[in-house]
Amino acid sequence: MTKLELKNIRHSFGSNSVLNAINLTLSEGEFITILGPSGSGKSTLFNIIGGLLIPTSGSVLLEGQDITGSKGHVAYMPQSPSLMPWRTVDENIQLGREIKGQVDRARMDDLLQRSGFADIKDQYPDSLSGGMKQRVSFLRALNTPGELMLLDEPFSALDEITRIDMQRWLKEILEVEKRTILMITHSIDEAIKLSDKIVVLEGKPATIHQAIDVRYISETAEITLKQQLLELLR
Ligand code: ADP
Ligand code: MG
């Protein structure tokens, strides 16, 4: 089933034409990563999908319904964790469901258990490391019911080791909690490791240069692809 469809999205800020003819389809349960040079319009595209920005033209369809310019349909995880310091880990993660009036304690306990947060659920964010805060922020987005997830460079502020740990943890969680995810990253390795498909934005205004299926990529093909992507991002 098609979860998200972007139809011919164009966007300009005044005379600055940023996105041109973006067409993209995300199936239910699919994980797509967006790669593109800095300033190529990746966050602008997320703002359009999240309804924070109305595109100059084109439309955003969620499960076939036109949601262009309308908020509240996606779970968004920003680059910095933005947790509420006066709420415990548990209360922060709960927020996504609380807002929708759909608190489910049993589900929450199961999620805390599986993600390794059961013992520290009553701690406050200030007592956690940067990596742990990012995990809580991810769990909060994950705990927002039935939504499409948009992750804008979620691990870019983390050091290499924490980042690799986080990627492994994320993969484990997603094996149980299947979600439809669109993620922006600067890391080619991360894109190949985590996603089903990589979409490359290129040019000014940016358009989709390539969409590459990386689910069953061989080691040799991976090496070639990495070199090719590095050239593109330069
Ligand atoms: P990326 O996320 O790929 O680094 P952005 O989407 O943040 O790129 O920005 C793409 C372009 O759009 C840049 O030239 C940026 O200056 C411009 N831009 C982004 N947001 C705004 C805004 N609110 N008003 C005017 N220009 C913007
Ligand atoms: Mg950005």
Side-chain angles (χ1 to χ4, degrees):
M1 197 186 100
T2 299
K3 184 81 176 177
L4 179 77
E5 195 177 353
L6 304 179
K7 277 188 161 167
N8 219 5
I9 304 263
R10 287 167 209 275
H11 195 74
S12 305
F13 293 104
S15 61
N16 181 10
S17 181
V18 176
L19 297 170
N20 183 34
I22 303 288
N23 287 290
L24 183 66
T25 303
L26 235 90
S27 303
E28 177 115 49
E30 199 172 22
F31 192 145
I32 293 186
T33 313
I34 299 180
L35 278 178
S38 182
S40 60
K42 303 180 296 296
S43 296
T44 300
L45 188 63
F46 269 22
N47 287 333
I48 290 171
I49 298 169
L52 304 171
L53 202 59
I54 299 172
T56 307
S57 67
S59 44
V60 180
L61 305 181
L62 188 68
E63 295 174 359
Q65 194 199 339
D66 193 328
I67 57 154
T68 317
S70 120
K71 297 185 198 87
H73 299 279
V74 301
Y76 176 72
M77 180 186 170
Q79 195 167 337
S80 59
S82 65
L83 300 173
M84 296 182 170
W86 60 89
R87 285 183 155 238
T88 62
V89 164
D90 186 88
E91 288 163 349
N92 266 289
I93 298 172
Q94 198 68 264
L95 196 66
R97 286 187 165 254
E98 216 173 277
I99 290 168
K100 304 238 166 183
Q102 296 181 21
V103 173
D104 181 341
R105 195 62 242 176
R107 186 190 180 283
M108 191 56 194
D109 287 336
D110 177 55
L111 185 63
L112 288 168
Q113 198 66 48
R114 275 188 291 113
S115 57
F117 276 86
D119 294 340
I120 51 171
K121 71 180 179 59
D122 295 323
Q123 288 188 24
Y124 288 87
D126 280 349
S127 67
L128 304 178
S129 68
M132 292 302 265
K133 281 183 194 157
Q134 272 306 61
R135 286 176 208 222
V136 174
S137 173
F138 174 78
L139 289 174
R140 181 176 60 186
L142 188 76
N143 197 35
T144 308
E147 310 274 3
L148 166 72
M149 296 183 80
L150 301 182
L151 316 178
D152 193 347
E153 302 191 37
F155 316 133
S156 60
L158 305 176
D159 63 78
E160 188 63 17
I161 304 287
T162 311
R163 194 180 174 111
I164 289 166
D165 265 358
M166 177 91 185
Q167 290 164 354
R168 193 177 306 131
W169 175 87
L170 183 68
K171 264 200 133 152
E172 279 169 21
I173 301 267
L174 289 176
E175 266 159 31
V176 184
E177 303 260 337
K178 253 306 181 188
R179 283 307 152 96
T180 311
I181 301 180
L182 203 51
M183 177 175 82
I184 295 171
T185 180
H186 272 133
S187 161
I188 295 170
D189 277 335
E190 185 168 284
I192 295 175
K193 210 182 286 178
L194 291 177
S195 55
D196 302 318
K197 197 191 272 178
I198 298 176
V199 164
V200 184
L201 281 185
E202 209 208 17
K204 186 133 186 52
T207 190
I208 293 180
H209 172 271
Q210 236 182 335
I212 310 146
D213 191 322
V214 289
R215 276 172 304 168
Y216 313 109
I217 195 163
S218 69
E219 269 178 52
T220 37
E222 186 174 329
I223 293 167
T224 317
L225 177 65
K226 278 183 189 169
Q227 279 163 350
Q228 192 195 342
L229 290 173
L230 266 176
E231 296 274 308
L232 271 172
L233 294 182
R234 217 163 259 153

